[in-house]
Structure formats: C-alpha cells, structure tokens
Amino acid sequence: MSSHLHRLSLLALLLALGSLVLGIAAAVEALAHHPGSHAVRKGGAVALEAVATVSDGCTTIGSVALGAPAGIAAPAAAEPVTVRLARPEGAVCTQALGTARREIDLMVPAGRAILHLFVVGPDGAVVSTERVPIKP
C-alpha cells in the first residue's frame, strides 16, 4: 500500500511540474506578443502599430503624428508621438472595452530608440501614455 501511494505522489508531482512548465511557457509567449503598440525600424522610417484601449465600439484612432500634445513636455530620451482618438459626434456607441489599432510609417531620427506615445481622447485630454522600444 505504501509503494502505491509513493507512485501516486510521484505521478502527481510530475504532473504538477509539467503544468508549471507549460504555464511559464504560455506566460513568456504572452509577454512576447503583448497587445500594446509595436515599432520596427525600416530604413529611414519607423513602422508603428499604435494600439489604444477604448471604452466603446465607436472610438477609433483618428490620427498619429510626431510630437507631443500642446503644453506637454516629452521625455528627453524618447521621440514623442501623439495618437488622437476620434468618435463620431452624436453617435450612440456600445459600451465595450476594446482596442483601436492603426499602422503608420513615421520619419524618426536614426538616433532614437524609444517612442513615447501620448494617447489623446476625443475631448483633447491625455488618457494614457506608452513607451515603445523601436526594434532594429
């Protein structure tokens, strides 16, 4: 009876260890493909996939441009980018948390390795910021 319990606990230990390894692998994969913005240098330009969290089904990314919003100082080591959200005036929108995406090529100076995104809501207020490393 004792050896039967010993085999069972060894099997349970191996199963738990295998589950832990698979869980860690899944977490690492999720971090590698996080749902945030991404930037890749392509020659003289940087391809930016801007991703912003939105709270309804009508809000989209209206524009993306180099530079910080008026009155806001950007961090010295990063290239500022303003991402403006847009929502149709008077639209009745479904309330659902989601993401809006937009791809754009930006002319970022060669010495810059980080973009600092300022996400500006339809009302003109900064709703979030994100530091995005530029991959070579």
Side-chain angles (χ1 to χ4, degrees):
M1 182 94 143
S2 174
S3 66
H4 177 66
L5 288 177
H6 179 69
R7 271 188 250 137
L8 182 61
S9 56
L10 181 59
L11 180 61
L13 180 63
L14 290 174
L15 183 61
L17 184 59
S19 296
L20 179 64
V21 169
L22 288 175
I24 291 171
V28 168
E29 179 70 16
L31 287 174
H33 300 288
H34 70 90
S37 302
H38 299 277
V40 178
R41 189 164 297 278
K42 294 186 338 185
V46 170
L48 171 65
E49 178 189 15
V51 179
T53 301
V54 295
S55 60
D56 60 61
C58 297
T59 302
T60 61
I61 294 178
S63 66
V64 178
L66 289 174
I72 297 180
E79 186 69 25
V81 177
T82 299
V83 177
R84 294 195 183 277
L85 301 179
R87 182 181 310 124
E89 192 172 323
V92 177
C93 305
T94 58
Q95 296 297 309
L97 190 61
T99 56
R101 297 175 183 276
R102 178 134 183 227
E103 293 182 14
I104 188 169
D105 288 343
L106 300 170
M107 297 307 293
V108 177
R112 295 293 190 166
I114 297 173
L115 299 178
H116 191 96
L117 275 57
F118 294 91
V119 180
V120 177
D123 63 354
V126 174
V127 296
S128 68
T129 64
E130 181 182 6
R131 291 175 57 85
V132 181
I134 301 171
K135 295 179 183 174

